[in-house]
Amino acid sequence: MEPRLIDKIVNAAGNLENHVVCEVGPGPGGITRSIIQRAPRKVILIEKDPRFIPSLELLADACRDKVDLDIIPGDILKTDIAQYVPSDIKTEWHDSPPPLHLIGNLPFSVSTILIIRWLEMMSKQEGPWILGRTRMTLTFQKEVAERMAARILDRQRCRLSVMCQNWCSVKYKFDISGASFLPKPDVDVGVVTLTPLKTPIIKQPFKMVEKVVRQIFSMRQKYSIRGAQTLFPPEVREEMALRMYKMADIDPVTRPFQIANAEFARIVDAYAEIVKEYPELEHYDYRAPKNNQKIEEDATAEEQVVI
């Protein structure tokens, strides 16, 4: 609700003049007004709550002569943003990012789900990333934002850190006190910018990267090989995990938060080589009902804490 902070969020996105901006969850339009003041070419608003649509329509009508503004009622998780964006802004992936920005004050309930989904789309160059390396400026619960940006040896480092930093340059811009929001959340907020990398550090398919990183961090306080063992069935677990770590030249007693992304790349590459030799291992899921229930519950609880 504070204009100064709203402008600060929008300023974090950089130059918006003559650019296309897609705002996720504009609500009553506070951030939208600040975006319009930057003279964008087009603004696309995706709003799920029908209560905000009338005020956004009034805003669209008021700025009709200044900017092209589209209001898309719907859930961002089910909306193909690219279909609303002019195709002439497209750039090649290894060129500079296109004049397209995603900006959003995201609801905490969907922010992590959404960013993981967007990372997968980015890895496949789908959705907004079919147009090039589309940049994002987003708000998250402060702890989530810190985890996204956490580097090696940081105790906050987790699965989300590795996934975000594998496909993006992640910059934690600043904090915003929860008292600045209405209604006031119980936590503070962090503003993060993400710019897709030209080439990911781990070059294997998204699902494989996500699986390996998730399992290694499922036991984040233990030696990393303990989590890595859960990639394999019990009867070959220790043998295969040791083989994978030897191929990757990683010390088995390294803790998950001590592993750099380049080292994760070697681990995932080693896992890819093993499943190429033993294809049936790729589909093994230790969380499936046939496996040990206690391990499943412990790992699930751990993942929820550190996501």
Side-chain angles (χ1 to χ4, degrees):
M1 299 300 292
E2 297 182 19
R4 180 182 61 84
L5 288 175
I6 288 173
D7 288 343
K8 192 174 180 181
I9 293 172
V10 176
N11 287 339
N15 177 39
L16 301 181
E17 185 175 353
N18 204 33
H19 288 203
V20 178
V21 180
C22 177
E23 185 185 356
V24 180
I31 290 178
T32 311
R33 288 174 172 82
S34 183
I35 292 171
I36 291 170
Q37 291 173 7
R38 270 75 180 167
R41 168 184 172 182
K42 182 182 180 72
V43 178
I44 303 161
L45 307 178
I46 301 175
E47 178 54 62
K48 181 180 180 180
D49 193 332
R51 295 175 297 177
F52 292 124
I53 300 300
S55 61
L56 294 175
E57 289 175 339
L58 288 173
L59 180 59
D61 187 60
C63 66
R64 188 181 307 277
D65 297 331
K66 296 179 64 176
V67 65
D68 181 12
L69 193 151
D70 286 350
I71 302 169
I72 314 300
D75 187 341
I76 185 59
L77 295 173
K78 301 174 183 177
T79 302
D80 178 11
I81 296 170
Q83 66 177 305
Y84 303 105
V85 179
S87 60
D88 63 357
I89 70 166
K90 178 178 172 62
T91 62
E92 295 303 317
W93 190 261
H94 284 83
D95 292 341
S96 298
L100 171 62
H101 302 259
L102 301 184
I103 297 178
N105 176 26
L106 302 179
F108 294 160
S109 59
V110 301
S111 60
T112 302
I113 297 170
L114 184 59
I115 196 62
I116 290 294
R117 182 171 300 184
W118 279 351
L119 289 172
E120 182 170 9
M121 294 172 71
M122 190 185 302
S123 73
K124 300 174 181 178
Q125 297 180 22
E126 297 176 345
W129 296 278
I130 199 172
L131 300 165
R133 294 186 296 118
T134 300
R135 292 162 289 186
M136 297 173 279
T137 301
L138 306 168
T139 64
F140 296 89
Q141 182 177 333
K142 182 181 177 182
E143 288 186 357
V144 173
E146 289 173 341
R147 289 166 186 159
M148 292 170 66
R151 302 296 174 179
I152 183 173
L153 303 182
D154 191 318
R155 289 283 177 175
Q156 291 266 38
R157 189 166 168 82
C158 63
R159 175 180 72 110
L160 192 60
S161 317
V162 177
M163 297 298 287
C164 288
Q165 293 165 32
N166 186 57
W167 279 282
C168 292
S169 169
V170 183
K171 294 185 179 180
Y172 191 114
K173 304 297 283 190
F174 53 88
D175 299 334
I176 301 177
S177 169
S180 301
F181 293 84
L182 186 66
K184 179 184 177 301
D186 294 329
V187 295
D188 291 338
V189 169
V191 177
V192 177
T193 61
L194 301 102
T195 302
L197 299 173
K198 292 181 179 180
T199 305
I201 300 166
I202 311 171
K203 297 177 178 61
Q204 298 295 339
F206 182 90
K207 293 294 187 185
M208 181 177 287
V209 176
E210 198 277 336
K211 179 181 182 180
V212 174
V213 175
R214 180 187 67 228
Q215 296 311 117
I216 288 177
F217 274 103
S218 67
M219 301 182 187
R220 70 188 307 273
Q221 300 303 328
K222 301 181 183 298
Y223 295 145
S224 62
I225 199 167
R226 290 291 303 278
Q229 288 173 352
T230 64
L231 290 163
F232 306 102
E235 59 272 18
V236 297
R237 183 164 288 167
E238 292 188 10
E239 173 193 351
M240 286 297 183
L242 279 171
R243 179 180 172 184
M244 183 173 71
Y245 268 54
K246 185 175 181 179
M247 291 169 65
D249 192 25
I250 302 295
D251 188 342
V253 302
T254 305
R255 309 277 179 178
F257 63 88
Q258 297 173 320
I259 302 176
N261 277 27
E263 293 171 320
F264 266 113
R266 301 205 301 267
I267 294 173
V268 180
D269 285 346
Y271 177 75
E273 286 296 314
I274 290 171
V275 299
K276 184 178 180 180
E277 184 177 352
Y278 304 100
E280 67 278 7
L281 293 179
E282 184 175 4
H283 305 292
Y284 175 75
D285 182 0
Y286 93 111
R287 299 176 301 172
K290 64 181 179 181
N291 296 299
N292 186 285
Q293 185 67 29
K294 184 176 187 304
I295 293 177
E296 178 184 353
E297 292 172 351
D298 289 348
T300 301
E302 184 84 30
E303 186 175 6
Q304 288 173 343
V305 168
V306 302
I307 194 169

